[in-house]
Amino acid sequence: MMKKFIIASAAFVALAFLSYGQQYRVCSASEMIEQAKQADPGYAGRLAALEQQTQQYVQQHAQQRTAGTVLFTIPVVFHIIHNYGGENISKAQVLDAVDILNKSFQKLYADSVIVCSVFRPIIADVQVQFRLAQIDPNGNCTDGITRTVSSLTYSAGDNVKQLIDWPADKYFNIWVVSNIASGAAGYAYYPGIAAGIDGVVIRHDYTGSIGTSNGSNYSARSLAHETGHWLNLSHTWGSTNSPGDPANCSNSDFVADTPTTVGVANFSCDTAQVTCNSLDNVQNYMDYAGCHYMFTEGQKMRMHAALNSNTGDRDNLWSQSNLIATGTNDGYVPVACAPIADFNRNKKFICTGTTLTFDDLSWHGDPSSWQWDFPGGSPSSSTAQTPQVQYNTPGIYDVTLTVDNAAGNSSITGQGIIIVSPATGVNAVPFTEDFESITFPSGSDWLVENSNGNAWGISSDASFSGSKSMKINNYSGNPNGSEDAFITPGYNFTNITNAGMTFRLAFAARSASSTDQLKVYASNNCGNSWNVRYTKDGLNLSTGGIISGNFIPNSNQWRLENVGLNTVSYNNSPSVRFKFEYLQNTGNNIYIDDINITGVSTVGIQDVEFLATLNVYPNPASTSANVAFSLAAAADVKAEVLDIAGRTVAVLCSEKLMSGAHTFTFGEKLAKGTYFVRVVIDGSPITEKIVFTN
């Protein structure tokens, strides 16, 4: 069947499986085409010239059928853009991906016998091999893998190419990311695109068949599909991203031996599919079927044409001089590279007594030895590649890793990345925080997380009660898209049911289109994992309506907010922490005050009466203070003073006390700072905060 040839420039955006089944999501290829043309008006003209050259090349080599000898060697570099998540794939996964590329392009897979018998005679050995570069653009040693830390990995596109790219006339650039902004699995431009964005962007879970890949045929061989685009192949239904469209029968992929087809739109693998009056080649790498097994001889000729064209400099990549320059020529003996130290450095919120495993993520060269330093940990040092360390004392700790091999050494320190909290919260429930006397931030107690711009802090600008509240200044200096959070200390919910929280909120939007968001999370494992318990956004978040000026709330612009906690996850839990997270998007200032944590005690009426009469005074105190309480009946009582890390600094009493009033004086030897007075009666605790100003 004669095909209709339509010349168009296209940027491929692959389909991606949704987590709940074999459905797919696509991005508009037409949008990508227009973006490329607008950014580089000459792109369309270069594609037209390349197409003319390609047709001439194919006509001249129409009868050429060769196999078994590699004709083209392509130097490859993998740029892994990560933020210490699963996207920071291992070297083994990269090597696996390269191996899959080579098997795909050299007809080395045994499963090619699965191909429908009609198409089996035209399965092509493309005679292309891919080798990881051994020499970088500066002439230095490399293993063909770079690693760049950036949050752009979560919404990747051409933006990640601005972080790092190697000359496209010397290296085939592949960027591995966590997520592509369009929702795609990967994409590549045809030859002729601007050098700074030439290459493939692909999700980590569509790279190779091991590690973070799910290992399916579609996922493991998606990089071969993208590389086909990079070598000037369109989809088998043409240069669109609309598989299944009957109009595709009027399109062409410019390849004579791939039947005209509408394409596979549901990842099926129906080898009997007929859509344009002939059997479809659904098992082709350039379709969307879940069975990638082959390129055709016609596709091979088209890729050879691209590799022999100076459009996109594909002809220079495999030149002998470039292979020598990149260390990918036959006979090259790799030089050992000095390692670059790295390890999983995400902040780890843990409880005392927790054991952590540290993963070495060093790259560039394989280390032969490791030296870890864990101040505050047990052990405090290790020479293991993957050590385990226990933390028994509350605090914030650094971790240092030094690695070396015969070529050199490297060190890295993660500052403040281990945050250890008491396994039992120092604050008993019920508890009210009015921000009048706390130190913020303060060690592993009150914590702040700030992406950029302004951060949460104590403010005297406004309050619901007292004179202070927690605030972020969004009126100036806090860019849209900023994420800011503050984290509370732990609260002891032991013997507490019907847990709950309220807080006072004041916030103003700047326009009706503001989409600011506030979330409150709770954690029952010292912050190691968080669950959302409250969310409000947009105008629903605003308590002051729409205000364009600097928002300082009056007494009528505060609102009481409720946070649901009455679940088995928090009731009776020894330590619960909370995180208030705000996402800025054209909003005004936001204030939080009077966090009130409540619950019903299960310890009996006499203890409830006791809890109502506890008094710590004066507060703040200078040199000494008093704790006074009364007992409705005789009880076992322990009264103690704790520092901000939860360590006992003074025991006021530990004995059976008779009913009636009791007073203890303390603080003569305490340094300036924040402390907690904890009184435990017959196993039921209550805690009050006190500040010494001496």
Side-chain angles (χ1 to χ4, degrees):
M1 181 176 182
M2 182 64 67
K3 295 189 175 183
K4 180 180 179 182
F5 281 22
I6 302 175
I7 298 177
S9 60
F12 166 70
V13 180
L15 300 179
F17 288 114
L18 294 180
S19 59
Y20 51 84
Q22 294 241 326
Q23 300 183 49
Y24 62 90
R25 48 190 174 181
V26 301
C27 283
S28 172
S30 61
E31 291 179 357
M32 295 293 289
I33 294 168
E34 289 307 312
Q35 289 176 16
K37 287 181 177 179
Q38 291 172 12
D40 182 2
Y43 184 35
R46 292 193 294 274
L47 281 172
L50 175 61
E51 187 58 39
Q52 184 177 7
Q53 296 170 11
T54 299
Q55 295 305 320
Q56 292 174 353
Y57 183 94
V58 170
Q59 290 175 6
Q60 293 169 2
H61 298 80
Q63 304 304 316
Q64 183 176 324
R65 295 288 295 269
T66 60
T69 302
V70 171
L71 299 178
F72 305 95
T73 298
I74 308 297
V76 183
V77 57
F78 281 74
H79 303 296
I80 299 172
I81 312 300
H82 72 96
N83 201 24
Y84 293 100
E87 71 279 358
N88 191 17
I89 62 175
S90 67
K91 183 176 182 178
Q93 189 169 342
V94 171
L95 293 173
D96 181 65
V98 174
D99 181 61
I100 291 171
L101 275 180
N102 285 325
K103 288 177 178 176
S104 299
F105 278 80
Q106 296 173 48
K107 192 184 173 183
L108 295 178
Y109 272 117
D111 58 18
S112 61
V113 300
I114 301 173
V115 171
C116 177
S117 60
V118 173
F119 299 108
R120 204 173 299 162
I122 58 171
I123 301 175
D125 171 5
V126 184
Q127 297 177 281
V128 173
Q129 69 177 346
F130 301 86
R131 286 180 177 171
L132 287 173
Q134 300 297 304
I135 301 174
D136 73 11
N138 297 316
N140 299 318
C141 170
T142 182
D143 60 356
I145 303 171
T146 71
R147 297 181 189 269
T148 302
V149 179
S150 174
S151 60
L152 291 179
T153 189
Y154 302 129
S155 185
D158 287 349
N159 53 358
V160 299
K161 301 172 184 179
Q162 299 172 18
L163 299 172
I164 183 171
D165 77 280
W166 288 6
D169 63 335
K170 297 181 179 179
Y171 303 89
F172 174 25
N173 289 279
I174 299 173
W175 291 268
V176 178
V177 300
S178 175
N179 183 59
I180 296 175
S182 64
Y187 72 90
Y189 294 107
Y190 293 153
I193 195 67
I197 59 174
D198 193 8
V200 168
V201 177
I202 192 161
R203 287 172 54 118
H204 67 101
D205 47 351
Y206 287 79
T207 304
S209 63
I210 63 174
T212 60
S213 170
N214 65 26
S216 69
N217 171 281
Y218 183 87
S219 295
R221 304 190 192 184
S222 286
L223 183 54
H225 178 115
E226 307 301 342
T227 304
H229 286 299
W230 180 76
L231 289 173
N232 204 28
L233 294 185
S234 71
H235 297 127
T236 53
W237 62 85
S239 293
T240 73
N241 203 19
S242 55
D245 184 351
N248 290 340
C249 287
S250 299
N251 292 341
S252 173
D253 64 350
F254 314 108
V255 179
D257 61 0
T258 56
T260 304
T261 178
V262 302
V264 176
N266 59 2
F267 296 100
S268 65
C269 188
D270 180 5
T271 57
Q273 176 176 301
V274 175
T275 58
C276 298
N277 300 317
S278 61
L279 184 66
D280 292 347
N281 184 204
V282 299
Q283 295 167 302
N284 196 290
Y285 280 107
M286 304 314 295
D287 206 326
Y288 281 167
C291 48
H292 287 154
Y293 294 131
M294 66 173 291
F295 292 112
T296 70
E297 287 289 337
Q299 288 173 320
K300 170 182 176 176
M301 284 297 99
R302 190 172 179 82
M303 289 189 277
H304 282 197
L307 287 166
N308 280 282
S309 171
N310 59 8
T311 300
D313 294 310
R314 302 291 190 265
D315 58 340
N316 185 67
L317 286 169
W318 55 276
S319 68
Q320 185 64 18
S321 61
N322 190 58
L323 298 184
I324 293 172
T326 57
T328 54
N329 57 298
D330 290 339
Y332 178 80
V333 179
V335 177
C337 299
I340 297 176
D342 204 359
F343 61 95
N344 194 331
R345 295 189 289 125
N346 281 339
K347 286 185 177 180
K348 298 294 184 182
F349 293 89
I350 60 173
C351 298
T352 52
T354 299
T355 297
L356 292 179
T357 299
F358 289 87
D359 297 317
D360 168 46
L361 299 178
S362 300
W363 57 283
H364 192 254
D366 296 328
S368 58
S369 67
W370 299 262
Q371 176 61 54
W372 299 83
D373 292 296
F374 305 107
S378 178
S380 60
S381 64
S382 175
T383 58
Q385 182 177 6
T386 309
Q388 291 186 325
V389 183
Q390 187 176 70
Y391 288 86
N392 298 312
T393 304
I396 300 178
Y397 301 104
D398 300 342
V399 174
T400 298
L401 170 63
T402 300
V403 293
D404 67 10
N405 62 19
N409 60 73
S410 174
S411 294
I412 190 170
T413 297
Q415 296 183 335
I417 63 169
I418 307 300
I419 300 174
V420 186
S421 303
T424 299
V426 298
N427 302 312
V429 176
F431 192 93
T432 297
E433 182 54 69
D434 56 11
F435 302 109
E436 296 301 308
S437 58
I438 69 168
T439 300
F440 180 86
S442 54
S444 60
D445 193 4
W446 287 94
L447 299 163
V448 62
E449 295 180 339
N450 174 239
S451 58
N452 54 24
N454 300 330
W456 286 101
I458 303 297
S459 172
S460 299
D461 292 348
S463 63
F464 182 79
S465 66
S467 62
K468 298 178 181 179
S469 65
M470 193 74 79
K471 173 191 175 183
I472 291 182
N473 177 10
N474 294 313
Y475 182 68
S476 63
N478 206 34
N480 290 340
S482 298
E483 291 185 3
D484 298 282
F486 71 86
I487 299 172
T488 72
Y491 300 92
N492 188 351
F493 280 76
T494 303
N495 297 323
I496 294 294
T497 62
N498 297 316
M501 179 209 282
T502 62
F503 65 93
R504 296 287 177 171
L505 168 71
F507 171 72
R510 288 204 191 188
S511 71
S513 60
S514 293
T515 58
D516 306 76
Q517 184 179 74
L518 178 68
K519 290 183 177 181
V520 180
Y521 300 79
S523 171
N524 61 5
N525 53 16
C526 300
N528 188 52
S529 60
W530 299 95
N531 294 309
V532 177
R533 306 303 304 171
Y534 163 102
T535 301
K536 279 191 179 178
D537 56 22
L539 295 181
N540 290 327
L541 182 64
S542 182
T543 66
I546 298 173
I547 296 177
S548 59
N550 186 27
F551 175 59
I552 300 176
N554 59 39
S555 59
N556 296 319
Q557 292 174 314
W558 290 87
R559 185 173 67 215
L560 182 67
E561 304 292 279
N562 288 281
V563 178
L565 298 174
N566 188 22
T567 73
V568 294
S569 297
Y570 310 111
N571 287 325
N572 207 37
S573 174
S575 182
V576 178
R577 298 190 80 163
F578 300 98
K579 176 163 67 172
F580 287 72
E581 181 182 81
Y582 169 74
L583 174 63
Q584 154 75 337
N585 191 359
T586 70
N588 213 314
N589 302 328
I590 184 170
Y591 303 80
I592 302 291
D593 202 3
D594 292 356
I595 298 174
N596 188 31
I597 302 169
T598 60
V600 176
S601 173
T602 61
V603 298
I605 187 64
Q606 67 188 43
D607 299 327
V608 173
E609 293 174 357
F610 155 71
L611 297 177
T613 61
L614 180 65
N615 187 22
V616 178
Y617 64 95
N619 192 3
S622 56
T623 58
S624 66
N626 304 291
V627 54
F629 54 87
S630 61
L631 298 177
D636 290 324
V637 177
K638 182 176 183 179
E640 56 186 342
V641 181
L642 310 175
D643 66 13
I644 201 166
R647 295 171 292 216
T648 300
V649 296
V651 176
L652 307 183
C653 77
S654 183
E655 58 187 299
K656 189 176 185 70
L657 298 180
M658 303 306 294
S659 62
H662 301 273
T663 301
F664 298 91
T665 300
F666 65 97
E668 292 85 352
K669 297 182 180 180
L670 294 182
K672 178 181 178 180
T674 301
Y675 296 86
F676 299 92
V677 177
R678 181 166 65 188
V679 179
V680 182
I681 175 171
D682 285 343
S684 177
I686 185 171
T687 302
E688 289 289 342
K689 178 177 54 182
I690 184 169
V691 175
F692 280 86
T693 60
N694 58 308

Short mmCIF file of all heavy atoms in Angstrom, two decimals, residues 603-643:
data_model
loop_
_atom_site.label_atom_id
_atom_site.label_comp_id
_atom_site.label_asym_id
_atom_site.label_seq_id
_atom_site.Cartn_x
_atom_site.Cartn_y
_atom_site.Cartn_z
N VAL A 603 -7.21 7.62 82.80
CA VAL A 603 -6.54 7.21 84.05
C VAL A 603 -7.40 7.37 85.29
O VAL A 603 -6.98 7.01 86.38
CB VAL A 603 -5.24 8.01 84.25
CG1 VAL A 603 -4.28 7.73 83.13
CG2 VAL A 603 -5.52 9.50 84.37
N GLY A 604 -8.59 7.94 85.22
CA GLY A 604 -9.43 8.01 86.40
C GLY A 604 -9.68 9.44 86.86
O GLY A 604 -8.92 10.35 86.61
N ILE A 605 -10.77 9.63 87.61
CA ILE A 605 -11.24 10.96 87.95
C ILE A 605 -10.29 11.71 88.84
O ILE A 605 -10.13 12.92 88.74
CB ILE A 605 -12.64 10.86 88.61
CG1 ILE A 605 -13.23 12.28 88.81
CG2 ILE A 605 -12.53 10.14 89.95
CD1 ILE A 605 -13.48 13.00 87.54
N GLN A 606 -9.59 11.01 89.78
CA GLN A 606 -8.72 11.74 90.69
C GLN A 606 -7.57 12.39 89.93
O GLN A 606 -7.11 13.48 90.27
CB GLN A 606 -8.18 10.82 91.78
CG GLN A 606 -7.24 9.75 91.26
CD GLN A 606 -6.89 8.73 92.34
OE1 GLN A 606 -7.77 8.29 93.08
NE2 GLN A 606 -5.63 8.37 92.43
N ASP A 607 -7.09 11.74 88.84
CA ASP A 607 -6.00 12.32 88.08
C ASP A 607 -6.49 13.50 87.26
O ASP A 607 -5.76 14.47 87.06
CB ASP A 607 -5.37 11.26 87.17
CG ASP A 607 -4.81 10.11 87.99
OD1 ASP A 607 -4.35 10.37 89.10
OD2 ASP A 607 -4.85 8.96 87.50
N VAL A 608 -7.73 13.42 86.77
CA VAL A 608 -8.28 14.54 86.03
C VAL A 608 -8.37 15.76 86.94
O VAL A 608 -8.04 16.88 86.56
CB VAL A 608 -9.67 14.19 85.47
CG1 VAL A 608 -10.32 15.42 84.84
CG2 VAL A 608 -9.56 13.07 84.45
N GLU A 609 -8.78 15.55 88.20
CA GLU A 609 -8.82 16.65 89.15
C GLU A 609 -7.43 17.21 89.38
O GLU A 609 -7.22 18.41 89.48
CB GLU A 609 -9.44 16.17 90.46
CG GLU A 609 -10.91 15.81 90.32
CD GLU A 609 -11.46 15.20 91.60
OE1 GLU A 609 -10.66 15.01 92.54
OE2 GLU A 609 -12.66 14.91 91.65
N PHE A 610 -6.44 16.33 89.48
CA PHE A 610 -5.06 16.76 89.67
C PHE A 610 -4.57 17.60 88.49
O PHE A 610 -3.98 18.66 88.68
CB PHE A 610 -4.16 15.54 89.84
CG PHE A 610 -2.72 15.80 89.45
CD1 PHE A 610 -1.91 16.60 90.25
CD2 PHE A 610 -2.21 15.29 88.29
CE1 PHE A 610 -0.60 16.86 89.87
CE2 PHE A 610 -0.90 15.55 87.92
CZ PHE A 610 -0.09 16.33 88.72
N LEU A 611 -4.86 17.18 87.27
CA LEU A 611 -4.37 17.88 86.09
C LEU A 611 -4.90 19.30 86.04
O LEU A 611 -4.24 20.20 85.52
CB LEU A 611 -4.78 17.12 84.82
CG LEU A 611 -4.20 15.72 84.67
CD1 LEU A 611 -4.75 15.07 83.40
CD2 LEU A 611 -2.69 15.74 84.62
N ALA A 612 -6.05 19.54 86.59
CA ALA A 612 -6.66 20.86 86.51
C ALA A 612 -6.04 21.84 87.48
O ALA A 612 -6.28 23.04 87.40
CB ALA A 612 -8.15 20.76 86.77
N THR A 613 -5.24 21.38 88.44
CA THR A 613 -4.73 22.27 89.48
C THR A 613 -3.23 22.48 89.41
O THR A 613 -2.67 23.13 90.27
CB THR A 613 -5.09 21.71 90.87
OG1 THR A 613 -4.48 20.43 91.02
CG2 THR A 613 -6.60 21.59 91.03
N LEU A 614 -2.54 21.96 88.40
CA LEU A 614 -1.09 22.14 88.29
C LEU A 614 -0.77 23.59 87.94
O LEU A 614 -1.38 24.18 87.06
CB LEU A 614 -0.53 21.21 87.21
CG LEU A 614 0.99 21.29 86.99
CD1 LEU A 614 1.74 20.82 88.21
CD2 LEU A 614 1.39 20.48 85.78
N ASN A 615 0.24 24.16 88.61
CA ASN A 615 0.62 25.55 88.38
C ASN A 615 2.13 25.68 88.48
O ASN A 615 2.74 25.21 89.46
CB ASN A 615 -0.06 26.47 89.41
CG ASN A 615 0.16 27.94 89.09
OD1 ASN A 615 0.45 28.29 87.94
ND2 ASN A 615 0.02 28.79 90.09
N VAL A 616 2.77 26.27 87.44
CA VAL A 616 4.20 26.53 87.43
C VAL A 616 4.37 28.05 87.36
O VAL A 616 3.89 28.68 86.41
CB VAL A 616 4.90 25.85 86.24
CG1 VAL A 616 6.39 26.17 86.24
CG2 VAL A 616 4.69 24.34 86.30
N TYR A 617 5.08 28.62 88.36
CA TYR A 617 5.15 30.08 88.45
C TYR A 617 6.44 30.49 89.17
O TYR A 617 7.01 29.68 89.92
CB TYR A 617 3.92 30.62 89.17
CG TYR A 617 3.83 30.17 90.63
CD1 TYR A 617 4.34 30.99 91.65
CD2 TYR A 617 3.28 28.94 90.97
CE1 TYR A 617 4.29 30.59 92.98
CE2 TYR A 617 3.23 28.53 92.28
CZ TYR A 617 3.73 29.35 93.30
OH TYR A 617 3.70 28.93 94.60
N PRO A 618 6.92 31.73 88.97
CA PRO A 618 6.55 32.63 87.88
C PRO A 618 7.06 32.08 86.55
O PRO A 618 7.99 31.28 86.53
CB PRO A 618 7.26 33.93 88.25
CG PRO A 618 8.47 33.48 89.00
CD PRO A 618 8.03 32.28 89.79
N ASN A 619 6.49 32.53 85.47
CA ASN A 619 6.87 32.03 84.15
C ASN A 619 6.68 33.15 83.12
O ASN A 619 5.53 33.56 82.89
CB ASN A 619 6.01 30.83 83.77
CG ASN A 619 6.53 30.08 82.56
OD1 ASN A 619 7.57 30.41 82.02
ND2 ASN A 619 5.77 29.06 82.15
N PRO A 620 7.78 33.69 82.61
CA PRO A 620 9.18 33.30 82.75
C PRO A 620 9.69 33.53 84.18
O PRO A 620 9.15 34.35 84.91
CB PRO A 620 9.92 34.19 81.76
CG PRO A 620 8.86 34.70 80.81
CD PRO A 620 7.62 34.78 81.63
N ALA A 621 10.80 32.82 84.49
CA ALA A 621 11.43 32.95 85.80
C ALA A 621 12.86 33.41 85.62
O ALA A 621 13.46 33.21 84.55
CB ALA A 621 11.38 31.62 86.54
N SER A 622 13.42 34.00 86.66
CA SER A 622 14.81 34.45 86.57
C SER A 622 15.75 33.45 87.21
O SER A 622 16.52 32.78 86.52
CB SER A 622 14.96 35.83 87.22
OG SER A 622 14.51 35.79 88.57
N THR A 623 15.68 33.29 88.56
CA THR A 623 16.61 32.37 89.23
C THR A 623 15.94 31.15 89.82
O THR A 623 16.58 30.12 90.02
CB THR A 623 17.36 33.11 90.35
OG1 THR A 623 16.40 33.66 91.28
CG2 THR A 623 18.20 34.23 89.76
N SER A 624 14.63 31.23 90.10
CA SER A 624 13.95 30.06 90.66
C SER A 624 12.47 30.13 90.31
O SER A 624 11.94 31.19 89.95
CB SER A 624 14.12 30.00 92.18
OG SER A 624 13.47 31.10 92.80
N ALA A 625 11.81 28.98 90.43
CA ALA A 625 10.39 28.88 90.13
C ALA A 625 9.76 27.84 91.04
O ALA A 625 10.47 27.09 91.75
CB ALA A 625 10.17 28.52 88.67
N ASN A 626 8.44 27.78 91.00
CA ASN A 626 7.70 26.84 91.84
C ASN A 626 6.75 26.01 90.99
O ASN A 626 6.20 26.50 90.00
CB ASN A 626 6.89 27.59 92.90
CG ASN A 626 7.74 28.50 93.74
OD1 ASN A 626 8.56 28.06 94.53
ND2 ASN A 626 7.56 29.81 93.55
N VAL A 627 6.56 24.76 91.39
CA VAL A 627 5.51 23.94 90.82
C VAL A 627 4.58 23.55 91.95
O VAL A 627 5.02 23.04 92.98
CB VAL A 627 6.08 22.69 90.09
CG1 VAL A 627 6.98 21.87 90.99
CG2 VAL A 627 4.93 21.83 89.56
N ALA A 628 3.30 23.83 91.77
CA ALA A 628 2.32 23.58 92.82
C ALA A 628 1.17 22.78 92.25
O ALA A 628 0.75 23.00 91.11
CB ALA A 628 1.81 24.89 93.39
N PHE A 629 0.70 21.83 93.03
CA PHE A 629 -0.46 21.04 92.61
C PHE A 629 -1.15 20.52 93.85
O PHE A 629 -0.59 20.53 94.97
CB PHE A 629 -0.04 19.89 91.70
CG PHE A 629 1.02 19.00 92.27
CD1 PHE A 629 0.71 17.92 93.09
CD2 PHE A 629 2.36 19.25 91.99
CE1 PHE A 629 1.69 17.10 93.61
CE2 PHE A 629 3.35 18.44 92.52
CZ PHE A 629 3.03 17.36 93.33
N SER A 630 -2.36 20.05 93.70
CA SER A 630 -3.08 19.44 94.81
C SER A 630 -3.60 18.09 94.37
O SER A 630 -3.94 17.89 93.19
CB SER A 630 -4.23 20.33 95.27
OG SER A 630 -5.15 20.52 94.22
N LEU A 631 -3.66 17.17 95.30
CA LEU A 631 -4.12 15.82 95.03
C LEU A 631 -5.45 15.59 95.71
O LEU A 631 -5.63 15.95 96.89
CB LEU A 631 -3.11 14.79 95.53
CG LEU A 631 -1.71 14.83 94.90
CD1 LEU A 631 -0.82 13.79 95.57
CD2 LEU A 631 -1.79 14.58 93.41
N ALA A 632 -6.36 14.99 95.01
CA ALA A 632 -7.65 14.65 95.60
C ALA A 632 -7.53 13.44 96.52
O ALA A 632 -8.34 13.26 97.42
CB ALA A 632 -8.67 14.37 94.51
N ALA A 633 -6.50 12.62 96.29
CA ALA A 633 -6.27 11.43 97.12
C ALA A 633 -4.79 11.10 97.07
O ALA A 633 -4.04 11.62 96.23
CB ALA A 633 -7.11 10.26 96.63
N ALA A 634 -4.34 10.26 97.96
CA ALA A 634 -2.93 9.86 97.97
C ALA A 634 -2.58 9.20 96.64
O ALA A 634 -3.39 8.46 96.06
CB ALA A 634 -2.67 8.90 99.14
N ALA A 635 -1.35 9.45 96.19
CA ALA A 635 -0.94 8.92 94.89
C ALA A 635 0.57 8.85 94.81
O ALA A 635 1.28 9.58 95.51
CB ALA A 635 -1.49 9.78 93.76
N ASP A 636 1.07 7.97 93.92
CA ASP A 636 2.50 7.93 93.62
C ASP A 636 2.80 9.06 92.65
O ASP A 636 2.19 9.16 91.57
CB ASP A 636 2.87 6.59 92.99
CG ASP A 636 2.79 5.44 93.99
OD1 ASP A 636 3.13 5.68 95.17
OD2 ASP A 636 2.38 4.33 93.60
N VAL A 637 3.78 9.91 93.00
CA VAL A 637 4.06 11.11 92.22
C VAL A 637 5.55 11.18 91.90
O VAL A 637 6.39 10.95 92.78
CB VAL A 637 3.64 12.38 92.97
CG1 VAL A 637 4.02 13.63 92.16
CG2 VAL A 637 2.15 12.37 93.25
N LYS A 638 5.85 11.50 90.65
CA LYS A 638 7.21 11.83 90.25
C LYS A 638 7.17 13.17 89.55
O LYS A 638 6.45 13.35 88.56
CB LYS A 638 7.81 10.78 89.32
CG LYS A 638 9.26 11.09 88.94
CD LYS A 638 9.88 9.98 88.10
CE LYS A 638 11.36 10.30 87.80
NZ LYS A 638 12.01 9.23 86.99
N ALA A 639 7.92 14.14 90.08
CA ALA A 639 8.01 15.46 89.47
C ALA A 639 9.46 15.70 89.06
O ALA A 639 10.38 15.51 89.87
CB ALA A 639 7.54 16.53 90.45
N GLU A 640 9.66 16.12 87.81
CA GLU A 640 11.02 16.32 87.31
C GLU A 640 11.05 17.47 86.32
O GLU A 640 10.02 17.89 85.78
CB GLU A 640 11.55 15.05 86.65
CG GLU A 640 10.68 14.52 85.53
CD GLU A 640 11.16 13.17 85.00
OE1 GLU A 640 12.31 12.80 85.25
OE2 GLU A 640 10.36 12.50 84.32
N VAL A 641 12.27 17.98 86.10
CA VAL A 641 12.49 19.06 85.15
C VAL A 641 13.30 18.50 83.98
O VAL A 641 14.32 17.83 84.19
CB VAL A 641 13.24 20.24 85.80
CG1 VAL A 641 13.43 21.37 84.78
CG2 VAL A 641 12.48 20.75 87.01
N LEU A 642 12.84 18.77 82.75
CA LEU A 642 13.49 18.26 81.55
C LEU A 642 14.02 19.43 80.73
O LEU A 642 13.43 20.52 80.70
CB LEU A 642 12.50 17.48 80.69
CG LEU A 642 11.66 16.39 81.39
CD1 LEU A 642 10.66 15.81 80.41
CD2 LEU A 642 12.56 15.30 81.95
N ASP A 643 15.16 19.20 80.05
CA ASP A 643 15.64 20.22 79.12
C ASP A 643 14.92 20.07 77.79
O ASP A 643 14.07 19.20 77.61
CB ASP A 643 17.16 20.19 78.97
CG ASP A 643 17.67 18.91 78.31
OD1 ASP A 643 16.85 18.16 77.74
OD2 ASP A 643 18.89 18.67 78.34
#
